[in-house]
Amino acid sequence: WPLYLLGLASTGRLDYQGKPLNGRIADHFRPSSPMFPKKVSFKITMSSTCAVLSLGYLVYAMYKYGIIAVICWYWNPYLICNAWLVLYTWLQHTDPSIPHYGEDEWTWVRGALSTIDRDYGIFCFFHHKIGSTHVMHHLFHECPFYNALEGTHAIRKFLEPKGLYNYDPTPWPIAMWRIARTCHYVEAPEGIQYMKSLEEVPMTEGRRKEKTS
């Protein structure tokens, strides 16, 4: 997750204008990052400033209370929180049914619809339904969370008859296992691609014998 925020992993190939990054780093901290339009520069500045102040306070806390206390009360919860956040994000955007578009096929609407709503059980309550209203979030990202469910009902009514609304009622632990087994790579960055499984890759004769023995 920190690598993603720093723009070093899983940030995509295009900037906010749809232009290739060509080596530019699309991080979440600089107002000039190619990820953000200029209209949000002040918000990015304020967010990054608060992040730096938080890191400074952690250094102070280690000095005052000791590194063990900071590890127990901050670092361990931080790891758990971020592990869950990565899992949630992975499940929101990964499924054998979700297409991946190359530059020749991608449009904003196609990209926005390339996500999937799921039922996360009790976690829907704790997370304000961010996983079961994510399609709506992609289409209308400025909609506040407290209107997300109403918005989802509206877009589902419009999109579902057209076969454009993605929803999977599978319990999330089962969906997680299925995706871990079936979604490993796409064959090329061009055209319309669907996730493939490494289990489908033909094995050499020796490897096949080893697996069946």
Side-chain angles (χ1 to χ4, degrees):
W1 184 250
L3 290 176
Y4 166 68
L5 294 179
L6 290 168
L8 303 177
S10 302
T11 54
R13 298 187 298 272
L14 306 177
D15 64 13
Y16 77 93
Q17 295 177 313
K19 299 178 181 178
L21 289 174
N22 291 330
R24 291 177 296 162
I25 297 177
D27 63 275
H28 288 68
F29 299 103
R30 291 176 300 140
S32 60
S33 170
M35 180 174 286
F36 304 117
K38 290 184 178 180
K39 69 176 184 178
V40 299
S41 294
F42 177 74
K43 293 180 179 179
I44 301 304
T45 300
M46 293 298 295
S47 175
S48 298
T49 300
C50 290
V52 172
L53 291 174
S54 297
L55 290 174
Y57 178 76
L58 287 174
V59 173
Y60 169 76
M62 285 189 288
Y63 173 78
K64 183 173 182 178
Y65 303 108
I67 190 171
I68 299 300
V70 172
I71 289 175
C72 290
W73 294 104
Y74 178 82
W75 184 248
N76 288 341
Y78 175 86
L79 291 178
I80 294 171
C81 175
N82 279 269
W84 177 246
L85 185 58
V86 170
L87 172 62
Y88 226 73
T89 305
W90 180 50
L91 291 176
Q92 286 171 336
H93 302 96
T94 310
D95 194 82
S97 66
I98 299 298
H100 291 248
Y101 298 104
E103 292 181 25
D104 53 331
E105 295 285 349
W106 185 89
T107 65
W108 186 90
V109 174
R110 278 183 161 184
L113 292 173
S114 297
T115 184
I116 185 167
D117 286 344
R118 302 184 188 276
D119 182 6
Y120 293 88
I122 194 173
F123 294 106
C124 284
F125 170 78
F126 288 118
H127 298 313
H128 304 292
K129 298 181 173 62
I130 64 170
S132 54
T133 62
H134 202 66
V135 175
M136 194 285 305
H137 168 70
H138 269 218
L139 292 168
F140 304 100
H141 67 278
E142 294 184 348
C143 176
F145 75 90
Y146 47 81
N147 289 331
L149 188 59
E150 181 182 357
T152 294
H153 291 327
I155 66 166
R156 183 171 187 172
K157 185 178 180 180
F158 177 78
L159 293 174
E160 200 163 39
K162 299 175 173 58
L164 296 175
Y165 178 71
N166 300 311
Y167 177 76
D168 182 11
T170 306
W172 70 265
I174 298 174
M176 177 186 67
W177 179 247
R178 183 190 67 217
I179 292 169
R181 294 285 303 275
T182 59
C183 299
H184 299 143
Y185 70 99
V186 293
E187 292 182 326
E190 298 87 19
I192 301 176
Q193 302 285 338
Y194 289 86
M195 297 294 285
K196 302 288 186 179
S197 172
L198 291 173
E199 295 184 355
E200 299 173 357
V201 177
M203 294 182 292
T204 62
E205 187 65 27
R207 183 72 181 87
R208 188 179 296 109
K209 290 180 180 179
E210 178 183 329
K211 186 173 182 179
T212 56
S213 61

